[in-house]
Amino acid sequence: MVEGFHALKHAVRFGATFDVVATSDLDGLATLAGSLAPDVAEWLSSATVVAADALAAMAPRAPRTAVMAVARRPVMDPAAVWIDPRERPVVLLEDPRTMGNVGACVRVAAGAGAAAVVTTGPSDPWHPDAVRGGAGLQFALPVGRLEAIPARTGRPLLALDPEGEELDPRSLPARAIFAFGTERDGLSPELLDAADARIRLPMEAGVSSLNLATSVAAVLYAWRLARG
Ligand SMILES: C[S@@+](CC[C@H](N)C(=O)[O-])C[C@H]1O[C@@H](n2cnc3c(N)ncnc32)[C@H](O)[C@@H]1O
């Protein structure tokens, strides 16, 4: 499910395939698209018009922009992610719990130019709330869930851990996997053991940790700004 104009705009821009795009306000959608995303305005003009109550029944919270869509989610190929030769890191979220957080991680990964976002655990990074939180940017890069991370990916594994060594942006390997832990408990002992290094974002005394998506943002932008 792609809910709302912002997410739909990105889904269209990054090549999503749609089964249906429904709106209860085609004129409002045209005005919004004309002012905020002229590149997709013409495409959105072909949305199917439905009654407001039909739209409201499509999701627990109908978006204020009165548009929703059903799109085909691309299937992530993990092997292709590991061997992607571009000098871009992979974001690994170990067992994340909060869909809004997952979406925010996808969004910043797309913005910073990460190679992919991979999750473990039961939460689906394509859950409608994650797509909403990610502003539909799941369509901009490979995003998927795995049962486990293989022992050998060919990429250095860097664990983001408040107890690690202080992060030096210039020493972040370009093709690293940056691993972030679950919201309450942090990274598992197994992942910490498997990591090539443990690094921390410095914090003022008394602050125990940063929010998951905030730490993903800080690390990715440290990497991006350091490479110039
Ligand atoms: C909300 S934190 C988890 C807090 C958990 N009690 C811990 O100590 O890791 C979620 C994830 O964000 C990352 N994180 C948060 N603050 C960090 C920091 N200062 N340095 C490095 N990583 C951090 C870690 O990967 C952490 O597992």
Side-chain angles (χ1 to χ4, degrees):
M1 286 299 301
V2 181
E3 300 176 16
F5 173 77
H6 202 32
L8 182 59
K9 168 193 72 182
H10 284 133
V12 173
R13 218 173 252 169
F14 289 101
T17 303
F18 294 92
D19 286 351
V20 63
V21 179
T23 181
S24 58
D25 181 9
L26 193 57
D27 290 344
L29 184 62
T31 304
L32 208 53
S35 64
L36 296 180
D39 57 317
V40 299
E42 196 177 327
W43 190 96
L44 290 177
S45 66
S46 60
T48 301
V49 179
V50 297
D53 57 351
L55 196 81
M58 285 175 72
R61 289 166 295 141
R64 278 186 296 136
T65 48
V67 63
M68 276 189 262
V70 178
R72 301 277 165 149
R73 54 196 266 178
V75 177
M76 184 187 77
D77 174 3
V81 168
W82 310 136
I83 63 169
D84 182 344
R86 295 173 303 159
E87 299 214 322
R88 291 166 183 252
V90 171
V91 173
L92 167 61
L93 307 177
E94 192 185 38
D95 197 11
R97 305 290 166 87
T98 311
M99 287 300 118
N101 249 343
V102 174
C105 294
V106 169
R107 186 172 182 173
V108 75
V117 177
V118 177
T119 65
T120 62
S123 300
D124 181 0
W126 286 85
H127 184 284
D129 288 346
V131 173
R132 201 167 178 148
L137 285 159
Q138 277 82 350
F139 291 96
L141 75 174
V143 173
R145 176 164 56 120
L146 297 180
E147 285 304 315
I149 303 303
R152 287 191 174 73
T153 61
R155 290 174 177 263
L157 178 63
L158 269 55
L160 272 296
D161 175 17
E163 306 294 317
E165 297 288 317
E166 183 162 326
L167 178 148
D168 173 0
R170 290 157 305 177
S171 69
L172 292 173
R175 293 186 68 256
I177 298 175
F178 296 140
F180 299 85
T182 194
E183 285 90 337
R184 173 170 295 181
D185 299 324
L187 286 164
S188 65
E190 294 76 21
L191 198 141
L192 288 170
D193 285 347
D196 297 296
R198 299 180 192 186
I199 51 178
R200 76 180 151 87
L201 291 154
M203 297 179 294
E204 293 293 316
V207 179
S208 55
S209 68
L210 302 176
N211 160 273
L212 171 60
T214 305
S215 42
V216 173
V219 173
L220 286 181
Y221 273 93
W223 160 75
R224 184 173 170 119
L225 294 173
R227 72 196 255 268

